Amino acid sequence: MKAKVAEKFRTLFGEEGDFFTSAGRINLIGEHTDYNGGFVFPGAVDKGILAEIKLNGTEKVCVFALDLDEYVEFGLNEEDAPSQSWARYVFGVCREVIKRGGKISGFNAVFAGDVPLGAGMSSSAALESTFAFALNYLFNLGIDKFELARIGQSTEHNYCGVKCGIMDQFASIFGKAGSLMRLDCKTMEYKYYPFHPEGYRLVLVDSVVKHELASSAYNKRRESCERAAAAIRANHPEVEFLRDAKLEWLEEVKDRISQEDYMRAEYVIDEVERVLDVCDALERDDYETVGQKMYETHYGMSRLYEVSCEELDFLNDIARECGVTGSRVMGGGFGGCTINLVKNELYDSFIARAKSAYKEKFGREPKVYDVVISDGARKLE
Ligand code: GLA
């Protein structure tokens, strides 16, 4: 990938720049908890975005997306926003840096990636993080890592229409090889958890259903959670986010919120608890409990939060039938992957069965990615 990016960069711009990369992510547990002030448990993966970048001494940004074979130029003012969705991520990062007082000017860039798009592995966060990290480095801006993550998050909010939480950008920036991270999205405290589950493997099974309708449905989930939290807050002023609420408190407002908002909130309150249970279980190397919690998350995401789909439910059922320790839909939902914790000796039979059963039912094979937990944003030497 690096050679291809370099070749294109030289052809287009006749020179050489610096290389930057950032990662996609997995999440062991803690889904849709980030924007509710709860806990998440992600890690960066060995798939990401790679960009070659060099300042060009103008006020213009010139970017080539190698995988799409598309070239875009834009200025750095608000009215210069490009229309191509991929370019809006780069533009948004520039604008968010400028809004924070960062003095930047034009640059040339070529980038490519190997995070599968729409698979729930945060290709967009990888793109944002690569450029946020690179601009910080190249313009010597001195922005700290949390703010780099927030630059990516604000890009999603203000330029891409997704009111996402902080998990993806956090994972993409803070990722560390071999470690998952528990992040408290209220206090932003985090801890690395070396993750080497002896006797098990983590594998993603990609339904190849792209989560295209996802952004409006995602934003609606967030609004439901905010309404439920506001209703609970009327009785319990200490509840800033759903993360602060107890199920009994949700019960008290059952008649004041819609059935749908109730279900969404019930899922979130349970899910926050499940992350903590998984952390405890990991301290004891108790992978059976970890796996059981993953199945509970799947159930909640499917029946209460309603962000699964027929294909993902099917893959979850197959995992259970094959004796897989834990399985659930990963990321925002509406398509993408399941994440599976599988005993080594069951791996081959599970993958073979998932492929054949899925193909028989839906007419195409799922894709399979072994998880390698890797480093986050960095400059390549
Ligand atoms: C998407 C968002 C994240 C998070 C997950 C669900 O990936 O970008 O902020 O909310 O969905 O956990």
Side-chain angles (χ1 to χ4, degrees), residues 25 27 30-35 40 120 122 156 162-169 218 301 331-333:
R25 61 109 189 86
N27 185 28
E31 223 63 88
H32 292 276
T33 45
D34 54 358
Y35 53 84
V40 292
S122 294
E156 299 272 353
V162 184
K163 299 288 178 198
C164 66
I166 194 73
M167 170 170 73
D168 304 350
Q169 292 78 11
Y218 182 95
M301 286 180 82

Side-chain angles (χ1 to χ4, degrees), residues 185-250:
C185 298
K186 187 174 175 186
T187 63
M188 296 308 275
E189 277 165 345
Y190 66 101
K191 183 177 164 194
Y192 288 101
Y193 280 73
F195 188 73
H196 306 286
E198 200 149 323
Y200 296 83
R201 282 166 81 166
L202 267 186
V203 59
L204 306 182
V205 181
D206 183 354
S207 66
V208 291
V209 175
K210 302 256 182 265
H211 56 183
E212 266 149 12
L213 272 173
S215 58
S216 63
Y218 182 95
N219 294 347
K220 274 195 186 158
R221 299 299 183 285
R222 184 171 184 152
E223 286 160 19
S224 280
C225 293
E226 283 164 3
R227 280 193 297 269
I232 298 171
R233 195 177 307 127
N235 295 345
H236 303 276
E238 67 270 41
V239 174
E240 189 184 344
F241 298 103
L242 272 184
R243 173 265 175 89
D244 306 312
K246 302 183 171 126
L247 277 180
E248 304 91 86
W249 297 355
L250 174 62

Side-chain angles (χ1 to χ4, degrees), residues 225-374:
C225 293
E226 283 164 3
R227 280 193 297 269
I232 298 171
R233 195 177 307 127
N235 295 345
H236 303 276
E238 67 270 41
V239 174
E240 189 184 344
F241 298 103
L242 272 184
R243 173 265 175 89
D244 306 312
K246 302 183 171 126
L247 277 180
E248 304 91 86
W249 297 355
L250 174 62
E251 203 56 39
E252 293 167 7
V253 299
K254 194 166 189 170
D255 300 335
R256 267 183 276 148
I257 59 176
S258 71
Q259 159 91 22
E260 192 174 278
D261 290 358
Y262 180 90
M263 281 159 48
R264 307 298 189 242
E266 182 186 356
Y267 161 77
V268 169
I269 295 170
D270 283 343
E271 180 72 354
V272 171
E273 200 57 42
R274 276 192 287 268
V275 182
L276 298 177
D277 292 344
V278 161
C279 292
D280 287 346
L282 284 175
E283 309 270 3
R284 303 187 304 268
D285 288 334
D286 173 4
Y287 295 106
E288 291 306 311
T289 300
V290 174
Q292 186 197 322
K293 296 290 160 190
M294 291 168 75
Y295 280 111
E296 287 174 19
T297 295
H298 186 87
Y299 181 88
M301 286 180 82
S302 177
R303 305 299 170 81
L304 298 174
Y305 220 63
E306 298 182 297
V307 293
S308 186
C309 59
E310 195 193 347
E311 289 85 348
L312 290 166
D313 286 346
F314 183 80
L315 287 172
N316 188 258
D317 289 343
I318 296 283
R320 198 186 282 278
E321 279 167 38
C322 291
V324 169
T325 306
S327 177
R328 65 177 195 81
V329 44
M330 187 183 77
F334 310 104
C337 297
T338 58
I339 178 167
N340 303 274
L341 180 66
V342 194
K343 284 208 177 97
N344 287 340
E345 61 271 25
L346 288 178
Y347 180 88
D348 290 338
S349 57
F350 165 55
I351 295 302
R353 169 106 174 88
K355 282 188 175 169
S356 63
Y358 193 85
K359 176 140 198 228
E360 192 176 315
K361 177 133 174 115
F362 299 108
R364 50 184 176 170
E365 271 196 4
K367 293 192 179 136
V368 175
Y369 315 112
D370 283 308
V371 172
V372 180
I373 303 170
S374 306

